[in-house]
């Protein structure tokens, strides 16, 4: 089984993929093809994607049961002790759940100070 997700792809690629796969949602293609056809489809995507992004997930005989390829993504696949994981880029300017202008105070929290000094 194979799943391909395209973002900002030219119509040429989308039309080509409909020859081999079902388009179940805009930019999402699913089907069952041989490994050779899968690799040829991926080459066609890389040759014609331009500024778009592509992710291909397919069945494999490994512990996860799948493998994937990406193109044009900020997130990148990383091998972690035999498991293929996705590494997200860390943006220094982002703070978790807070606005961009808010700065974090350094040091111990007020609750930990109270506990520490028995107040």
């Amino acid at each position: 089984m194979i799943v391909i997700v395209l973002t900002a792809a030219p119509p040429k690629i989308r039309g080509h993929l409909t020859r081999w796969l079902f388009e179940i949602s805009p930019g999402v293609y699913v089907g069952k093809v041989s490994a050779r056809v899968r690799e040829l489809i991926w080459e066609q995507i890389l040759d014609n994607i331009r500024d778009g992004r592509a992710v291909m997930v397919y069945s494999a005989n490994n512990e996860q049961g799948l493998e994937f390829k990406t193109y044009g993504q900020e997130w990148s696949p990383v091998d972690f002790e035999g498991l293929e994981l996705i590494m997200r880029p860390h943006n220094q300017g982002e703070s978790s759940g807070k606005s961009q202008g808010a700065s974090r105070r350094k040091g111990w929290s007020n609750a930990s100070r109270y506990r520490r000094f028995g107040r």
Side-chain angles (χ1 to χ4, degrees), residues 76-89:
S76 59
V78 175
D79 183 75
F80 184 75
E81 295 182 5
L83 293 176
E84 194 80 14
L85 302 174
I86 295 290
M87 183 172 64
R88 227 171 56 169

Side-chain angles (χ1 to χ4, degrees), residues 36-103:
R36 181 177 179 189
V37 172
R38 180 185 69 224
E39 294 304 318
L40 291 172
I41 288 173
W42 186 247
E43 287 177 19
Q44 287 289 319
I45 290 171
L46 295 181
D47 290 343
N48 298 302
I49 194 74
R50 296 187 199 136
D51 296 332
R53 297 181 299 196
V55 176
M56 180 172 65
V57 182
Y58 53 94
S59 301
N61 191 15
N62 60 17
E63 287 193 27
Q64 289 175 300
L66 58 91
E67 289 185 15
F68 49 88
K69 295 181 180 186
T70 62
Y71 175 80
Q73 302 285 332
E74 292 177 1
W75 297 15
S76 59
V78 175
D79 183 75
F80 184 75
E81 295 182 5
L83 293 176
E84 194 80 14
L85 302 174
I86 295 290
M87 183 172 64
R88 227 171 56 169
H90 177 68
N91 296 334
Q92 294 288 13
E94 286 186 15
S95 56
S96 58
K98 297 183 179 180
S99 65
Q100 291 291 338
S103 61

Side-chain angles (χ1 to χ4, degrees), residues 4 6 12 23 25 28-29 32-33 36 47 54 60 65 71 74-76 78 81-82 88-89 92-93 107 110 113 118:
I4 296 176
L6 300 178
K12 178 180 179 179
E23 186 173 14
S25 184
V28 180
Y29 300 88
K32 187 170 183 175
V33 295
R36 181 177 179 189
D47 290 343
Y71 175 80
E74 292 177 1
W75 297 15
S76 59
V78 175
E81 295 182 5
R88 227 171 56 169
Q92 294 288 13
N110 290 336
R113 287 187 192 128

